[in-house]
Amino acid sequence: MPLEAGLLEILACPACHAPLKEADAELLCTGTECALAYPVRDGIPVLLVDEARRPA
């Protein structure tokens, strides 16, 4: 389920404050040092660093 159009524009990574981009059921941090992937559950972004997946 895609996020609302304006929502992605105002969301930022809680760890490094870089913009996020949508990919499948995750929001990916665009910061090169961080690159965390945050889950989206039932259309709601879970922007908790403890819930984020580290890059492989």
Side-chain angles (χ1 to χ4, degrees), residues 1-25:
M1 169 187 260
L3 296 175
E4 282 187 36
L7 182 60
L8 196 56
E9 293 176 14
I10 62 172
L11 291 178
C13 175
C16 71
H17 307 290
L20 298 170
K21 67 178 180 179
E22 197 169 10
D24 296 325

Side-chain angles (χ1 to χ4, degrees), residues 13 15-19 29-38 53-56:
C13 175
C16 71
H17 307 290
C29 175
T30 58
T32 55
E33 305 86 38
C34 181
L36 292 173
Y38 297 94
R53 180 179 57 79
R54 297 270 175 204

